[in-house]
Amino acid sequence: MIRLLNANFARLWKTKSFWVCFILLTVLDITNFLTSYSVDPECVKKLGAELMSHCSNVLLFIAIFAALFLGTDHSNGTIRNKLIIGHKRFEIYFSNLITAAVGGLILIAAEWSVVLITGFCLGGEIGMPAEEMLLKMLICISAVIALSAIFTLLGMLFTSKSTIITITLVMTFVLVIGAAVIESILAEPEYVTSFEMMTDGVVTQGEAEPNPLYVSGAKRGVLEAVNDVLPSGQMMQMEIGTLRSAELMPLYSLGVIAVSTAVGVLVFRRKDLK
């Protein structure tokens, strides 16, 4: 396992796609932060919130990096060579999972670093209690590892590099768009108030009426559970500031990591790589 990890990390540092993702992500985050600063200069007084406000940016870059990194292993025949020289399949799987997770954590660390450095240069402050800050960072870190586990599962189940890239990117957009749609549905208020324009030009407020778009009962519970468990849903909640089960989210991510890894290892052990 150690030899596999050493080889993977040596390749990681030389992988152009990883460093392209790294640079593009940092440029995007600096641009987003400076845009927020131009609109509201007081945002530098709450850098803790700014760190979390664009955390889903990293999701796409993790997907691209993981797909290209794992896809290259298949296209170059590297996995077959590892098996030929005696490495176990579960060792290959876990070494790739760890490499993908480390790459994702480097990207999220880069994202946070550029925001903090830029913010402090502008006289900023964290503006968030340490306990809350640490919990939110833990949620992000566990979500990144969970995403890496999902992308590793996809990358190890297919042998075609183009197929891995396509499926990984499609899955990424499904996760992001799905989380956004669910949060949009849950954001609907239970009651809505109508406003009427009188003949004299005065606007009057009507009575509150039930909102037909409001979701309640078991359906609401299911939607909340889905977005609390999915890493993309956790990141979406982080961005809009509506964390429902903050203390449980790292545990949900551990569950996602365990399930996706167990499925991936079981299937990869039986996969024909000839």
Side-chain angles (χ1 to χ4, degrees):
M1 175 75 85
I2 300 299
R3 290 173 59 192
L4 288 172
L5 288 173
N6 288 337
N8 276 2
F9 288 132
R11 186 160 71 89
L12 174 65
W13 309 133
K14 299 176 183 178
T15 301
K16 292 181 180 179
S17 59
F18 173 73
W19 293 111
V20 169
C21 289
F22 183 96
I23 293 170
L24 290 177
L25 178 62
T26 54
V27 170
L28 177 62
D29 286 317
I30 291 174
T31 303
N32 286 339
F33 179 72
L34 293 178
T35 300
S36 298
Y37 178 74
S38 66
V39 175
D40 177 21
E42 290 300 311
C43 72
V44 296
K45 302 300 181 183
K46 45 186 179 180
L47 290 178
E50 286 296 319
L51 286 182
M52 309 302 164
S53 64
H54 303 291
C55 60
S56 66
N57 287 347
V58 76
L59 199 156
L60 177 61
F61 292 98
I62 293 175
I64 294 172
F65 152 67
L68 290 173
F69 189 87
L70 298 174
T72 300
D73 252 10
H74 286 290
S75 63
N76 290 349
T78 306
I79 291 181
R80 287 194 299 272
N81 293 337
K82 290 176 180 178
L83 290 171
I84 291 172
I85 63 177
H87 290 295
K88 306 294 185 184
R89 291 201 179 208
F90 77 89
E91 292 178 337
I92 297 172
Y93 191 98
F94 277 101
S95 64
N96 284 344
L97 170 59
I98 293 171
T99 306
V102 169
L105 293 176
I106 292 174
L107 292 177
I108 192 71
E111 182 175 52
W112 288 342
S113 297
V114 295
V115 172
L116 286 176
I117 292 172
T118 306
F120 286 143
C121 288
L122 294 172
E125 303 171 359
I126 294 297
M128 180 182 290
E131 297 82 0
E132 180 183 353
M133 182 75 172
L134 290 174
L135 176 58
K136 289 185 174 181
M137 291 180 73
L138 177 60
I139 292 171
C140 279
I141 289 171
S142 58
V144 165
I145 298 174
L147 286 168
S148 300
I150 293 172
F151 297 145
T152 301
L153 168 63
L154 298 176
M156 297 298 285
L157 295 189
F158 301 95
T159 54
S160 168
K161 183 177 181 179
S162 59
T163 301
I164 292 172
I165 294 172
T166 301
I167 292 178
T168 301
L169 291 180
V170 169
M171 175 62 75
T172 302
F173 286 116
V174 168
L175 288 172
V176 173
I177 295 173
V181 170
I182 290 175
E183 285 303 320
S184 176
I185 293 172
L186 294 175
E188 288 289 340
E190 186 172 1
Y191 295 94
V192 292
T193 303
S194 60
F195 293 88
E196 298 180 358
M197 177 78 73
M198 306 302 290
T199 54
D200 57 1
V202 177
V203 178
T204 60
Q205 180 176 329
E207 295 183 1
E209 300 177 354
N211 182 2
L213 298 179
Y214 179 76
V215 176
S216 60
K219 185 176 180 180
R220 187 175 190 87
V222 170
L223 291 176
E224 289 179 347
V226 169
N227 253 17
D228 288 349
V229 172
L230 289 178
S232 57
Q234 295 179 11
M235 289 183 170
M236 189 67 63
Q237 291 180 55
M238 194 85 67
E239 289 192 355
I240 62 180
T242 59
L243 288 173
R244 287 180 291 271
S245 307
E247 293 80 5
L248 295 176
M249 284 182 176
L251 297 178
Y252 293 151
S253 292
L254 285 176
V256 172
I257 295 168
V259 171
S260 58
T261 301
V263 172
V265 170
L266 288 174
V267 176
F268 183 64
R269 287 179 63 181
R270 297 190 172 113
K271 184 177 179 59
D272 183 5
L273 296 173
K274 296 180 180 179

